Amino acid sequence: MPDRTPVQLGEYESAPLEPDQLTPRDVDRLHALQARGSITLTRERTGWRLKADATVGVLVLDRVRVVIAPKFAIPGEQLMSWLAYALGTPIPATARRWATGPDGYADLVAAALLEECERLLQEGLRRDYVRRRSVEPVLRGRLDVTAQATRRYGQLDQLHVRTFDREADIWENRVLGSALKAALTLTASPDLARALHGAAGAFPQAPTPAAALRALDRTHCTRLNARYRPAHTWARLLLRGGGVTDLLTDQGTMADGLLLAMPALWEAVVRRLGTEAVGPHGGHAVPGGSGVGITVRGDLGNASAFRPDLLLSLPTLPGHDTAHRTLLPVDAKYKRYDRHGVSAADVHQLLTYSSGYASADATPTAVIVHPQAGSHAQRTLQVRGPRGLLGTISILGVDTHARPEDASTWIQAALR
């Protein structure tokens, strides 16, 4: 790996760069990331200024290695715990060895992948039947009569055969080999790079990272490959380079990197927290494609629709799952609402949600869930007009220093 100048910054922080530290290709990459809302690159009289938005991770460019540390709401020692919780995968042992040094988040994700891959190697890689055609000195499998007659007619020293053998060279293993190779370009730790290189040699690889991603997109978890799910989760994160779509990943950054969009992480956390909180009381999350979004018609262009990050369906009577249910909109806000008041735009948004989903005889209610450090907190906003109460908005601050399981218990009590 060529030596690159390290550039350290935190969320919402910026750092200056010399004019010769960015190549034209780097500028194109950074502008592509800027279009996705990950970072901001501006030209200054003395060079460049790189500013991180709500993003953490590592970005490896031609001449610099940018490390963006978590500074805003989720502390570094808890980032992997919340990430694993959002992804629904076991917390890797590496999360307990967080070091807020130059390795940072990318090394932790690479180590989490390595940990799962080493476990699979110890248990034995899954094998499946693979069809192959080859030329052999003896008959194995079935003779390919057509190929033998057209390519080696009358010659029996080499036989065209078709075999159907159990092999480890299947897509479940190939995507992990590709992900381990991708992790090598991100890590700054020699020991971790050595371990990744050793593990990568034990796995087959896909022809390209894009082919590995296509295989992951087509995957279906079955009882045969269920033990691969944690490893595939970390592999998807590494191969896509971080982002926002498909839970926490997008279609790549065109640069070697691993960037995590913190608002997307928080939305995933809130969806799981809310779903787990109402489950014991007969509640459930309303699926996104269930046709219960708020629609806008009559404007220029096509009709538009919008819905909250999480819509919970609750039984009207506590402890009774009746046909008459209450819809509770919940929105995740990755904002410092523990330090300042809720913005007018968010009040308007949540008031629209509460009015759109409220039953005829109930007070419109909505919930905002935001991160905060130190302790859980709860307050209630009452929105009134000239004719009385328009709705209430519960503001729930989740302590990101706590374990996700403890936060789930607190949310359950707060939503009762």
Side-chain angles (χ1 to χ4, degrees):
M1 181 187 301
D3 292 335
R4 293 178 172 89
T5 303
V7 176
Q8 304 262 351
L9 64 157
E11 286 180 87
Y12 299 107
E13 294 181 356
S14 64
L17 297 175
E18 297 295 330
D20 59 349
Q21 285 186 303
L22 293 182
T23 65
R25 187 172 70 144
D26 289 341
V27 174
D28 292 338
R29 294 169 172 175
L30 293 173
H31 282 157
L33 286 170
Q34 183 171 335
R36 295 186 176 97
S38 301
I39 59 175
T40 302
L41 180 68
T42 54
R43 190 67 187 254
E44 295 185 339
R45 183 171 55 87
T46 57
W48 300 93
R49 178 160 293 275
L50 185 65
K51 180 180 181 297
D53 296 321
T55 302
V56 303
V58 172
L59 184 62
V60 181
L61 300 174
D62 290 338
R63 297 172 182 170
V64 297
R65 185 175 189 268
V66 182
V67 179
I68 307 172
K71 295 284 188 181
F72 168 45
I74 299 180
E77 63 271 12
Q78 286 294 100
L79 178 60
M80 286 296 290
S81 297
W82 286 101
L83 178 58
Y85 180 79
L87 293 172
T89 192
I91 300 176
T94 50
R96 306 185 188 97
R97 302 196 298 269
W98 172 274
T100 53
D103 300 344
Y105 158 70
D107 274 17
L108 279 177
V109 174
L113 172 67
L114 176 63
E115 178 181 313
E116 293 296 335
C117 289
E118 288 177 338
R119 177 182 62 81
L120 291 173
L121 288 172
Q122 291 175 356
E123 296 174 355
L125 297 183
R126 181 176 182 273
R127 296 172 178 269
D128 204 351
Y129 286 100
V130 178
R131 296 184 183 274
R132 295 192 185 279
R133 294 187 178 187
S134 61
V135 179
E136 304 287 348
V138 295
L139 181 63
R140 291 184 59 248
R142 300 180 62 181
L143 179 67
D144 189 339
V145 177
T146 302
Q148 188 72 26
T150 56
R151 301 177 186 176
R152 301 191 63 83
Y153 181 76
Q155 303 178 58
L156 300 179
D157 57 327
Q158 297 288 324
L159 302 177
H160 286 266
V161 298
R162 290 181 293 182
T163 58
F164 193 46
D165 296 329
R166 282 171 55 88
E167 300 180 7
D169 190 9
I170 57 178
W171 72 265
E172 286 99 333
N173 298 320
R174 285 196 291 264
V175 296
L176 296 180
S178 298
L180 288 167
K181 184 178 179 181
L184 277 170
T185 65
L186 301 177
T187 180
S189 167
D191 293 337
L192 180 57
R194 193 178 305 112
L196 287 168
H197 185 271
F203 284 84
Q205 293 188 12
T208 63
L213 284 173
R214 286 194 297 269
L216 279 173
D217 291 338
R218 294 192 304 266
T219 182
H220 295 284
C221 187
T222 67
R223 64 180 181 84
L224 296 177
N225 62 10
R227 63 191 179 102
Y228 276 74
R229 185 181 180 277
H232 285 166
T233 299
W234 299 117
R236 181 180 283 107
L237 203 62
L238 278 158
L239 288 170
R240 291 202 189 280
V244 296
T245 311
D246 190 14
L247 189 57
L248 296 175
T249 56
D250 64 12
Q251 298 302 316
T253 62
M254 299 175 60
D256 292 331
L258 186 61
L259 298 178
L260 177 63
M262 297 301 287
L265 169 61
W266 189 244
E267 289 175 14
V269 165
V270 170
R271 281 194 292 270
R272 183 172 176 185
L273 284 174
T275 303
E276 291 182 348
V278 301
H281 305 288
H284 64 268
V286 179
S290 56
V292 293
I294 298 174
T295 58
V296 179
R297 302 181 185 277
D299 202 353
L300 300 177
N302 298 327
S304 59
F306 56 99
R307 57 172 291 152
D309 297 323
L310 175 65
L311 185 62
L312 298 175
S313 176
L314 308 173
T316 302
L317 298 176
H320 296 78
D321 193 359
T322 66
H324 303 287
R325 303 180 68 87
T326 300
L327 295 178
L328 178 64
V330 180
D331 225 44
K333 299 297 183 185
Y334 189 71
K335 299 179 180 180
R336 295 311 301 262
Y337 282 155
D338 57 328
R339 297 185 177 181
H340 57 79
V342 180
S343 68
D346 286 343
V347 171
H348 295 161
Q349 180 187 19
L350 271 295
L351 192 60
T352 300
Y353 289 150
S354 64
S355 300
Y357 294 109
S359 57
D361 57 346
T363 301
T365 304
V367 178
I368 287 177
V369 183
H370 67 88
Q372 71 173 41
S375 63
H376 302 300
Q378 180 178 5
R379 65 184 190 270
T380 301
L381 308 185
Q382 295 184 345
V383 184
R384 295 184 176 274
R387 298 184 179 180
L389 184 66
L390 298 177
T392 62
I393 304 174
S394 296
I395 313 299
L396 306 182
V398 173
D399 181 12
T400 53
H401 287 252
R403 297 186 311 135
E405 294 77 13
D406 296 337
S408 178
T409 302
W410 179 81
I411 287 285
Q412 181 177 336
L415 291 181
R416 287 180 182 174

